[in-house]
Structures are given as structure tokens and as C-alpha cells.
Amino acid sequence: MKEEKIELIKDGKRLSGRGFEELRPIKIDVGVLKRADGSCYFELGNNKALAAVYGPREMHPRHFQNAKMAVVKYRYNMAPFSVDDRKRPGPDRRSQEISMVSRKALDPVILRELYPKTAIEVYVEVLQSDAGTRTAGINAASVALADAGIPMKDLVSSVAIGKIDGEVVLDLDAKEDNFGEADMPVAMIARTNTITLLQMDGRLKKEEFERGLKIAMTGCRKIYELQRAALVEKYSKSGNEE
Ligand code: CDP
């Protein structure tokens, strides 16, 4: 969030022409990587993210094993070419934090107790970023886990809301994120309305928070339907191509 101001809302519309509660266009492809157990390519506007899942497989090193359940490892990585200024390759504090909160967002749906001593590895690669990459990554990872056949209670869906020019809006793009007043990513299990991630950068009044959460939850439900449809499409194709 930058101090300088640019006008983000003109004549009741956002710069992109979107309405306040409108998602960016979404594209989901399931099973795009041959060597992963499950995978998903997820586009959210100009964000492009790829998730690959391996496992459950034996956890190494062994002292990290959990005798009662699988351990989920989640690695979020932003490609150097995914942002305007080249990003220095490798992990940094931001990617470590995003990896941790994303793992925690997905943990509650994975039936980890079925696979003691194993690791379920989730890799998210952000190929192009335009704000909301952690939410795109969670959406991709959730579908990739299902594609890998990992037993899950449900999918997790994620989107951010934010505040720009005093208005609460859904799914900020990078300009809105940079010059807006607040950004609040949310993840939830859409069918049970269970929130599994909620972060906030900036400030919202109580009523803005409440309205924003409602808008985010509606957005998550829409994304959930698209995730389901993408999985159904892949698995209803005869022969599954491989
Ligand atoms: O991507 P997300 O909104 O989950 O996380 P963020 O930390 O709020 O970053 C917002 C946006 O800032 C990213 O999506 C990128 O477009 C941009 N960014 C960047 O240009 N360079 C970085 N090193 C980190 C973020």
C-alpha cells in the first residue's frame, strides 16, 4: 500500500471496468503436469499460478514424520519474471509466510490421519502476478490435491477483498492493492462457510470488515463452483487421455 494517491474509481467503476463485487476472469485447467500426482493451472485475471502435488509418500527426513498423520508441506514460490521488477530467486520472508498460511488454509480439509508417517507435498509456482497470488495459489493447490486423489472433506476456495477510494471491493488487482487502503485475503470451505485463512493489510472499519467478509464469502462460493466444474470436466472425459 503506497502513500501517494491515484484515482481508482471513476464514475462508479473500477479502472478495469469491473463492478465492486466482480471477480476477475478465472480459468482452471486440471492435470496439466504429467509427473506430478495432481496438478492445476489457475488464472485469476493476470495472475497465473501452477500447483503440483506429490504424495502421500514416505516422509524424509524421518524425524519430521508424524506417527499419527500425514504432514503437509506447502511451498509458494514467485518466479523471478512474474513481477515488474525481477524478483530475486529463492525463498524470502514473504514466500515463507505465504507458504505457512496457505498450508494452514488447506490442512483442515485433508484427511491427514489416513496416511501416518507420510508427506503430502504441494508446490505452487506463480508465473505471473497481479495481486492475489496467494489466493490463486490456494485455489490451484486445492484442485491439485483433489486431482492427486488425496482424500479431502471438501475443496478450499480463496479470494481477497479490499478497500479502494473508500469503497469495499472484491478481488483487488495490483494497482488497487498498491494504491488502495486495505487488502484482506480470505480462504474458506465454501459448503460449510468455514474460514481457513483471513489476513489483513491496512485498515477497515468494523462494518467495512463485515461487509467485506460477506463479499469475499460470496466470491469464494463462485470460485468453488468453478473448481468443481473443472474437476468434473476432467474426470468426466472418457479415457482420461493417459
Ligand atoms: O500476491 P498477494 O496479493 O497474495 O500478496 P502481496 O504480498 O499482497 O502482493 C501483492 C502483489 O504485489 C503481488 O501479487 C505482486 O503483483 C506484487 N509484488 C511484487 O511486485 N513484487 C514482490 N516481490 C512481491 C509482490
Short mmCIF file of all heavy atoms in Angstrom, two decimals, residues 139-181:
data_model
loop_
_atom_site.label_atom_id
_atom_site.label_comp_id
_atom_site.label_asym_id
_atom_site.label_seq_id
_atom_site.Cartn_x
_atom_site.Cartn_y
_atom_site.Cartn_z
N ASN A 139 -6.30 -21.76 -4.41
CA ASN A 139 -7.33 -22.34 -5.29
C ASN A 139 -6.72 -23.43 -6.17
O ASN A 139 -7.32 -24.50 -6.35
CB ASN A 139 -7.93 -21.25 -6.19
CG ASN A 139 -8.76 -20.26 -5.39
OD1 ASN A 139 -9.37 -20.62 -4.40
ND2 ASN A 139 -8.77 -19.01 -5.82
N ALA A 140 -5.53 -23.15 -6.70
CA ALA A 140 -4.86 -24.13 -7.56
C ALA A 140 -4.48 -25.36 -6.74
O ALA A 140 -4.69 -26.50 -7.18
CB ALA A 140 -3.61 -23.49 -8.18
N ALA A 141 -3.93 -25.14 -5.56
CA ALA A 141 -3.46 -26.25 -4.72
C ALA A 141 -4.62 -27.15 -4.31
O ALA A 141 -4.49 -28.39 -4.31
CB ALA A 141 -2.76 -25.69 -3.49
N SER A 142 -5.73 -26.54 -3.99
CA SER A 142 -6.90 -27.30 -3.56
C SER A 142 -7.36 -28.25 -4.68
O SER A 142 -7.61 -29.44 -4.45
CB SER A 142 -7.97 -26.28 -3.19
OG SER A 142 -9.18 -26.87 -2.96
N VAL A 143 -7.41 -27.74 -5.91
CA VAL A 143 -7.82 -28.57 -7.05
C VAL A 143 -6.75 -29.63 -7.33
O VAL A 143 -7.07 -30.79 -7.62
CB VAL A 143 -8.07 -27.68 -8.29
CG1 VAL A 143 -8.32 -28.53 -9.53
CG2 VAL A 143 -9.25 -26.75 -8.05
N ALA A 144 -5.47 -29.25 -7.21
CA ALA A 144 -4.39 -30.20 -7.48
C ALA A 144 -4.41 -31.35 -6.46
O ALA A 144 -4.14 -32.50 -6.80
CB ALA A 144 -3.04 -29.48 -7.45
N LEU A 145 -4.74 -31.04 -5.21
CA LEU A 145 -4.85 -32.09 -4.18
C LEU A 145 -5.97 -33.07 -4.55
O LEU A 145 -5.79 -34.29 -4.44
CB LEU A 145 -5.16 -31.46 -2.81
CG LEU A 145 -3.97 -30.82 -2.08
CD1 LEU A 145 -4.47 -29.85 -1.00
CD2 LEU A 145 -3.07 -31.87 -1.46
N ALA A 146 -7.08 -32.53 -4.99
CA ALA A 146 -8.19 -33.40 -5.41
C ALA A 146 -7.77 -34.22 -6.62
O ALA A 146 -8.05 -35.42 -6.70
CB ALA A 146 -9.42 -32.55 -5.73
N ASP A 147 -7.06 -33.59 -7.54
CA ASP A 147 -6.60 -34.30 -8.75
C ASP A 147 -5.63 -35.43 -8.39
O ASP A 147 -5.58 -36.44 -9.07
CB ASP A 147 -5.93 -33.29 -9.70
CG ASP A 147 -5.48 -33.92 -11.00
OD1 ASP A 147 -6.26 -34.72 -11.57
OD2 ASP A 147 -4.36 -33.63 -11.46
N ALA A 148 -4.88 -35.23 -7.30
CA ALA A 148 -3.93 -36.26 -6.85
C ALA A 148 -4.65 -37.40 -6.14
O ALA A 148 -4.02 -38.38 -5.75
CB ALA A 148 -2.88 -35.64 -5.93
N GLY A 149 -5.94 -37.25 -5.94
CA GLY A 149 -6.71 -38.31 -5.27
C GLY A 149 -6.52 -38.31 -3.76
O GLY A 149 -6.80 -39.31 -3.09
N ILE A 150 -6.04 -37.22 -3.21
CA ILE A 150 -5.88 -37.13 -1.76
C ILE A 150 -7.28 -37.01 -1.14
O ILE A 150 -8.05 -36.11 -1.52
CB ILE A 150 -5.06 -35.86 -1.37
CG1 ILE A 150 -3.76 -35.77 -2.17
CG2 ILE A 150 -4.87 -35.76 0.13
CD1 ILE A 150 -2.57 -36.47 -1.66
N PRO A 151 -7.62 -37.89 -0.19
CA PRO A 151 -8.94 -37.79 0.42
C PRO A 151 -9.13 -36.45 1.16
O PRO A 151 -8.31 -36.09 1.99
CB PRO A 151 -8.98 -38.96 1.40
CG PRO A 151 -7.92 -39.89 0.93
CD PRO A 151 -6.86 -39.04 0.33
N MET A 152 -10.18 -35.76 0.78
CA MET A 152 -10.45 -34.43 1.37
C MET A 152 -11.91 -34.32 1.75
O MET A 152 -12.77 -34.90 1.10
CB MET A 152 -10.14 -33.33 0.33
CG MET A 152 -8.69 -33.20 -0.03
SD MET A 152 -8.52 -32.45 -1.66
CE MET A 152 -8.71 -30.73 -1.26
N LYS A 153 -12.17 -33.51 2.77
CA LYS A 153 -13.57 -33.28 3.16
C LYS A 153 -14.25 -32.42 2.12
O LYS A 153 -15.44 -32.53 1.86
CB LYS A 153 -13.61 -32.54 4.50
CG LYS A 153 -13.21 -33.41 5.66
CD LYS A 153 -13.33 -32.61 6.95
CE LYS A 153 -12.46 -33.23 8.00
NZ LYS A 153 -11.99 -32.28 9.00
N ASP A 154 -13.50 -31.50 1.54
CA ASP A 154 -14.06 -30.58 0.55
C ASP A 154 -12.93 -29.79 -0.09
O ASP A 154 -11.78 -29.92 0.32
CB ASP A 154 -15.05 -29.63 1.24
CG ASP A 154 -16.22 -29.30 0.33
OD1 ASP A 154 -16.00 -29.20 -0.89
OD2 ASP A 154 -17.34 -29.15 0.83
N LEU A 155 -13.26 -28.92 -1.01
CA LEU A 155 -12.26 -28.02 -1.59
C LEU A 155 -12.17 -26.77 -0.73
O LEU A 155 -13.09 -26.45 0.02
CB LEU A 155 -12.67 -27.62 -3.00
CG LEU A 155 -12.71 -28.74 -4.05
CD1 LEU A 155 -13.41 -28.26 -5.31
CD2 LEU A 155 -11.30 -29.22 -4.37
N VAL A 156 -11.06 -26.05 -0.87
CA VAL A 156 -10.93 -24.73 -0.25
C VAL A 156 -10.88 -23.70 -1.37
O VAL A 156 -10.25 -23.94 -2.40
CB VAL A 156 -9.64 -24.66 0.61
CG1 VAL A 156 -9.41 -23.24 1.14
CG2 VAL A 156 -9.71 -25.64 1.77
N SER A 157 -11.58 -22.61 -1.17
CA SER A 157 -11.64 -21.55 -2.19
C SER A 157 -11.18 -20.24 -1.57
O SER A 157 -11.44 -20.01 -0.39
CB SER A 157 -13.07 -21.41 -2.72
OG SER A 157 -13.57 -22.69 -3.03
N SER A 158 -10.55 -19.41 -2.37
CA SER A 158 -9.93 -18.22 -1.78
C SER A 158 -9.99 -17.00 -2.69
O SER A 158 -9.83 -17.12 -3.91
CB SER A 158 -8.47 -18.56 -1.45
OG SER A 158 -7.82 -17.48 -0.88
N VAL A 159 -10.21 -15.86 -2.07
CA VAL A 159 -10.19 -14.59 -2.80
C VAL A 159 -9.98 -13.46 -1.78
O VAL A 159 -10.25 -13.66 -0.59
CB VAL A 159 -11.50 -14.38 -3.61
CG1 VAL A 159 -12.69 -14.04 -2.73
CG2 VAL A 159 -11.35 -13.30 -4.67
N ALA A 160 -9.51 -12.33 -2.26
CA ALA A 160 -9.31 -11.19 -1.35
C ALA A 160 -10.39 -10.14 -1.56
O ALA A 160 -10.98 -10.05 -2.64
CB ALA A 160 -7.94 -10.57 -1.59
N ILE A 161 -10.66 -9.39 -0.52
CA ILE A 161 -11.42 -8.15 -0.69
C ILE A 161 -10.48 -7.01 -0.26
O ILE A 161 -9.43 -7.26 0.34
CB ILE A 161 -12.74 -8.07 0.14
CG1 ILE A 161 -12.46 -8.13 1.63
CG2 ILE A 161 -13.73 -9.10 -0.30
CD1 ILE A 161 -12.51 -6.83 2.33
N GLY A 162 -10.87 -5.80 -0.57
CA GLY A 162 -10.04 -4.68 -0.15
C GLY A 162 -10.84 -3.40 -0.15
O GLY A 162 -12.06 -3.42 -0.42
N LYS A 163 -10.14 -2.32 0.17
CA LYS A 163 -10.80 -1.02 0.19
C LYS A 163 -10.03 -0.09 -0.72
O LYS A 163 -8.81 0.06 -0.57
CB LYS A 163 -10.82 -0.49 1.62
CG LYS A 163 -11.61 0.78 1.81
CD LYS A 163 -11.64 1.12 3.30
CE LYS A 163 -12.02 2.55 3.54
NZ LYS A 163 -11.86 2.93 4.95
N ILE A 164 -10.74 0.49 -1.69
CA ILE A 164 -10.10 1.44 -2.60
C ILE A 164 -11.00 2.68 -2.70
O ILE A 164 -12.21 2.56 -2.80
CB ILE A 164 -9.87 0.83 -4.01
CG1 ILE A 164 -11.18 0.31 -4.65
CG2 ILE A 164 -8.85 -0.29 -3.98
CD1 ILE A 164 -11.07 -0.04 -6.11
N ASP A 165 -10.40 3.83 -2.63
CA ASP A 165 -11.15 5.09 -2.66
C ASP A 165 -12.38 5.03 -1.74
O ASP A 165 -13.47 5.46 -2.10
CB ASP A 165 -11.62 5.42 -4.10
CG ASP A 165 -10.45 5.79 -5.01
OD1 ASP A 165 -9.31 5.81 -4.52
OD2 ASP A 165 -10.68 6.04 -6.20
N GLY A 166 -12.19 4.42 -0.58
CA GLY A 166 -13.26 4.39 0.42
C GLY A 166 -14.32 3.33 0.18
O GLY A 166 -15.27 3.22 0.95
N GLU A 167 -14.20 2.54 -0.87
CA GLU A 167 -15.21 1.51 -1.18
C GLU A 167 -14.64 0.12 -0.93
O GLU A 167 -13.49 -0.15 -1.27
CB GLU A 167 -15.63 1.60 -2.66
CG GLU A 167 -16.25 2.91 -3.08
CD GLU A 167 -17.69 3.07 -2.61
OE1 GLU A 167 -18.27 2.10 -2.11
OE2 GLU A 167 -18.21 4.20 -2.73
N VAL A 168 -15.48 -0.76 -0.39
CA VAL A 168 -15.08 -2.16 -0.21
C VAL A 168 -15.33 -2.90 -1.53
O VAL A 168 -16.44 -2.85 -2.06
CB VAL A 168 -15.89 -2.80 0.94
CG1 VAL A 168 -15.58 -4.28 1.06
CG2 VAL A 168 -15.60 -2.09 2.25
N VAL A 169 -14.29 -3.54 -2.05
CA VAL A 169 -14.42 -4.21 -3.36
C VAL A 169 -13.81 -5.61 -3.31
O VAL A 169 -12.96 -5.91 -2.47
CB VAL A 169 -13.75 -3.40 -4.50
CG1 VAL A 169 -14.37 -2.02 -4.65
CG2 VAL A 169 -12.24 -3.30 -4.30
N LEU A 170 -14.26 -6.43 -4.27
CA LEU A 170 -13.78 -7.81 -4.34
C LEU A 170 -12.57 -7.92 -5.26
O LEU A 170 -12.53 -7.27 -6.30
CB LEU A 170 -14.93 -8.69 -4.89
CG LEU A 170 -14.69 -10.19 -5.03
CD1 LEU A 170 -14.46 -10.84 -3.67
CD2 LEU A 170 -15.86 -10.86 -5.74
N ASP A 171 -11.60 -8.75 -4.84
CA ASP A 171 -10.54 -9.23 -5.72
C ASP A 171 -9.69 -8.09 -6.32
O ASP A 171 -9.78 -7.79 -7.52
CB ASP A 171 -11.21 -10.07 -6.85
CG ASP A 171 -10.21 -10.82 -7.68
OD1 ASP A 171 -9.06 -11.00 -7.24
OD2 ASP A 171 -10.58 -11.23 -8.80
N LEU A 172 -8.84 -7.50 -5.48
CA LEU A 172 -8.01 -6.37 -5.92
C LEU A 172 -6.98 -6.79 -6.95
O LEU A 172 -6.36 -7.84 -6.83
CB LEU A 172 -7.21 -5.83 -4.72
CG LEU A 172 -7.97 -5.34 -3.49
CD1 LEU A 172 -7.00 -4.72 -2.50
CD2 LEU A 172 -9.04 -4.35 -3.89
N ASP A 173 -6.77 -5.94 -7.97
CA ASP A 173 -5.63 -6.16 -8.85
C ASP A 173 -4.44 -5.37 -8.30
O ASP A 173 -4.55 -4.69 -7.27
CB ASP A 173 -5.97 -5.80 -10.31
CG ASP A 173 -6.32 -4.34 -10.50
OD1 ASP A 173 -5.84 -3.49 -9.72
OD2 ASP A 173 -7.09 -4.02 -11.43
N ALA A 174 -3.28 -5.47 -8.98
CA ALA A 174 -2.06 -4.93 -8.38
C ALA A 174 -2.14 -3.41 -8.15
O ALA A 174 -1.69 -2.91 -7.12
CB ALA A 174 -0.86 -5.27 -9.24
N LYS A 175 -2.74 -2.68 -9.09
CA LYS A 175 -2.85 -1.24 -8.93
C LYS A 175 -3.71 -0.92 -7.71
O LYS A 175 -3.38 -0.05 -6.90
CB LYS A 175 -3.49 -0.64 -10.19
CG LYS A 175 -2.84 0.65 -10.60
CD LYS A 175 -3.42 1.18 -11.89
CE LYS A 175 -2.31 1.54 -12.85
NZ LYS A 175 -2.81 1.78 -14.20
N GLU A 176 -4.81 -1.65 -7.58
CA GLU A 176 -5.72 -1.43 -6.45
C GLU A 176 -5.03 -1.80 -5.14
O GLU A 176 -5.22 -1.14 -4.12
CB GLU A 176 -7.00 -2.25 -6.65
CG GLU A 176 -7.83 -1.77 -7.83
CD GLU A 176 -9.02 -2.67 -8.15
OE1 GLU A 176 -8.96 -3.89 -7.89
OE2 GLU A 176 -10.02 -2.15 -8.68
N ASP A 177 -4.25 -2.87 -5.19
CA ASP A 177 -3.53 -3.32 -4.00
C ASP A 177 -2.47 -2.28 -3.59
O ASP A 177 -2.32 -1.94 -2.42
CB ASP A 177 -2.89 -4.68 -4.30
CG ASP A 177 -2.22 -5.29 -3.08
OD1 ASP A 177 -2.89 -5.42 -2.06
OD2 ASP A 177 -1.03 -5.62 -3.16
N ASN A 178 -1.77 -1.76 -4.59
CA ASN A 178 -0.69 -0.79 -4.32
C ASN A 178 -1.20 0.54 -3.81
O ASN A 178 -0.60 1.14 -2.93
CB ASN A 178 0.08 -0.50 -5.62
CG ASN A 178 1.16 -1.51 -5.83
OD1 ASN A 178 1.64 -2.12 -4.88
ND2 ASN A 178 1.54 -1.72 -7.08
N PHE A 179 -2.29 1.01 -4.40
CA PHE A 179 -2.75 2.36 -4.08
C PHE A 179 -4.02 2.38 -3.23
O PHE A 179 -4.58 3.43 -2.95
CB PHE A 179 -2.97 3.16 -5.38
CG PHE A 179 -1.71 3.36 -6.16
CD1 PHE A 179 -1.40 2.55 -7.23
CD2 PHE A 179 -0.79 4.34 -5.78
CE1 PHE A 179 -0.22 2.72 -7.94
CE2 PHE A 179 0.39 4.52 -6.48
CZ PHE A 179 0.68 3.70 -7.57
N GLY A 180 -4.49 1.19 -2.83
CA GLY A 180 -5.71 1.12 -2.03
C GLY A 180 -5.43 1.30 -0.54
O GLY A 180 -4.28 1.49 -0.12
N GLU A 181 -6.50 1.20 0.25
CA GLU A 181 -6.38 1.43 1.69
C GLU A 181 -6.29 0.14 2.50
O GLU A 181 -5.82 0.16 3.63
CB GLU A 181 -7.58 2.24 2.19
CG GLU A 181 -7.63 3.68 1.67
CD GLU A 181 -8.76 3.91 0.68
OE1 GLU A 181 -9.91 4.10 1.10
OE2 GLU A 181 -8.47 3.88 -0.53
#
